[in-house]
Amino acid sequence: MATQTFNLPDVGEGLTEAEIVQWRVKPGDTVAVNDVLVEIETAKSLVELPSPFAGTIGDLLVAEGVTVEVGAPIITVADGSDSPSAPATPAAASEGGGSVLVGYGTMGEVKSRRRKVVQDPVVSSAGVIAKPPIRKLARDLGVDLTHVAGTGPAGEVTRDDVVGQASQASVFRNIQTPQWGAEREETIVVSPTAAADGSADDDRQETIPVRGVRKVTSAAMVRSAYSAPHVTVWKDVDASRTMELVKRMKASPDFAEIRVSPLLIMARAVIWAAQRTPMVNAAWVDGDDGASIVVRNYVNLGIAAATPRGLVVPNIKDAQNLSMRELARALEKLTLTAREGKTTPADQQQGTITITNIGVFGMDAGTPILNPGESGIVALGSITQKPWVVDGEVRPRWVTTVSGSFDHRVIDGDGMSRFIADVASILEEPALLLD
């Protein structure tokens, strides 16, 4: 009986390591070619690895939660033949829409990662008809399924039902600050820590390994902060007419069943303003023959999204070609995909300019760090009613702050100031978009 060794493949992202998230098999199980063996997490996505061999599972060589390098052996499979044992290295793998590894076959839909926490979160849902992905979505959005009226067959709760129940939440995360509970992303309790009096205390601290999305995010932010000279400008804006437009769009049949928020107007404003100041949408490139600036005549609009797996920045490709309705649809799809942990590496690549919506966390303004490879990032602050002088009189108006950081190697202060002023002018008078 020959034993084949399955080495961790490069899944086509140019990465060097991955974490074993969940084994789908155990020793003694019989598998066919393309049966899923394990779910791994790279720095950018979750991937299910199918078996390149048919046979009986031998040893699981790596425990769940352990990060290993590409090429390391992770499992053995006995193929039942009489040929001598020989290690096998499967063909290089690459993702195709998050579902195909070249040389392995179709894997099916990549599932969202299950959090490893000290105490499993419990969603009170006795008697509720809902599939596991819907229950997970409800947990992520903080929705109690017992309070959701199912509209599916036989009263089954659908994704739209859950999202609708959480519609008062922010675009990417509930505005309310969560309680300090036992549930954390990737929380691992360490060995007892000595308290001040010398006694052991399990509750005084915990260790969260830096890996996956957090590892890549931290490296990217350090690289960006120390390679590009950041400068930030900001402007207070009367966004009352934007709020009026959002209200009318929500009531319009043209936007029925489409999520509409001030972020939609902000996105449209950034696209419009970037076309008027192209350098904010450019990129600094270091080459063998010296540095150059690449001016891009298209907008791949990034939206910074806080997700259960950490910060991701998916982008809407060629956003300048989309109608307002199409842009609203694209933002909604981006949001749901990010919340469910299904943002693919392709969704996060080739961005040209980014929006971060810090207003959903109650923040008025900030100094955001550039997404690597980009020269501009815009932060939208909270939109709240404040006293504002209109025609010499103080009136309550919906006021926000727009701030923007830029790479001073690519664009100067006057250019970024014009860009932010353009964005502000659209929020103050959205009718300018009709020009």
Side-chain angles (χ1 to χ4, degrees), residues 12-346:
E13 300 171 343
L15 300 174
T16 60
E17 63 184 19
E19 178 188 341
I20 303 299
V21 175
Q22 182 183 19
W23 284 108
R24 300 293 184 81
V25 294
K26 62 182 182 299
D29 285 353
T30 300
V31 295
V33 173
N34 287 335
D35 283 352
V36 175
L37 297 176
V38 63
E39 183 184 49
I40 66 170
E41 182 176 25
T42 70
K44 295 183 179 180
S45 63
L46 292 169
V47 178
E48 290 176 336
L49 295 183
S51 177
F53 315 121
T56 303
I57 299 299
D59 296 322
L60 307 183
L61 304 178
V62 181
E64 292 181 356
V66 174
T67 299
V68 295
E69 294 184 354
V70 169
I74 60 174
I75 190 173
T76 61
V77 181
D79 65 7
S81 69
D82 294 327
S83 59
S85 174
T89 302
S94 64
E95 289 184 315
S99 61
V100 175
L101 292 180
V102 175
Y104 296 91
T106 303
M107 292 190 299
E109 187 178 64
V110 176
K111 298 177 176 60
S112 299
R113 178 177 185 171
R114 301 189 306 173
R115 297 182 186 175
K116 290 178 289 181
V117 294
V118 177
Q119 180 179 353
D120 242 351
V122 176
V123 177
S124 176
S125 56
V128 174
I129 304 174
K131 296 177 181 178
I134 302 304
R135 294 180 183 273
K136 181 185 183 305
L137 177 61
R139 287 198 301 270
D140 291 344
L141 298 183
V143 172
D144 187 339
L145 288 177
T146 60
H147 297 161
V148 181
T151 60
E156 180 180 349
V157 176
T158 67
R159 184 174 71 171
D160 288 343
D161 296 332
V162 173
V163 173
Q165 182 72 17
S167 61
Q168 74 276 11
S170 70
V171 174
F172 293 115
R173 178 180 285 176
N174 197 314
I175 296 175
Q176 296 178 351
T177 302
Q179 294 181 350
W180 188 294
E183 180 184 355
R184 309 268 212 289
E185 182 186 357
E186 279 304 305
T187 298
I188 299 176
V189 177
V190 296
S191 56
T193 303
D197 59 2
S199 62
D201 187 349
D202 284 343
D203 299 325
R204 287 177 59 84
Q205 70 179 37
E206 62 195 29
T207 297
I208 303 175
V210 178
R211 57 195 181 201
V213 172
R214 175 55 55 194
K215 183 175 182 179
V216 170
T217 299
S218 61
M221 292 300 98
V222 170
R223 185 171 68 253
S224 176
Y226 287 97
S227 63
H230 285 58
V231 180
T232 305
V233 295
W234 55 89
K235 179 176 176 58
D236 292 337
V237 181
D238 178 0
S240 299
R241 291 184 177 175
T242 284
M243 299 301 285
E244 293 170 1
L245 176 58
V246 169
K247 183 177 180 180
R248 291 198 302 271
M249 293 173 70
K250 287 182 176 180
S252 170
D254 292 338
F255 289 86
E257 300 180 357
I258 302 178
R259 177 182 292 274
V260 177
S261 74
L263 180 62
L264 172 60
I265 312 302
M266 178 69 169
R268 196 61 157 176
V270 168
I271 295 168
W272 180 79
Q275 291 174 308
R276 288 166 56 88
T277 308
M279 296 305 289
V280 77
N281 195 51
W284 178 277
V285 179
D286 288 309
D288 295 336
D289 298 328
S292 60
I293 296 175
V294 177
V295 181
R296 297 171 288 208
N297 298 320
Y298 59 91
V299 177
N300 289 348
L301 183 64
I303 305 293
T307 76
R309 292 180 60 233
L311 178 69
V312 297
V313 189
N315 63 78
I316 300 170
K317 303 295 192 290
D318 288 316
Q320 78 283 353
N321 295 331
L322 302 181
S323 67
M324 189 74 85
R325 178 184 170 86
E326 290 169 337
L327 184 59
R329 283 285 192 193
L331 285 170
E332 183 176 44
K333 180 180 178 182
L334 179 149
T335 301
L336 291 176
T337 301
R339 279 176 169 170
E340 294 175 358
K342 296 180 180 178
T343 301
T344 67

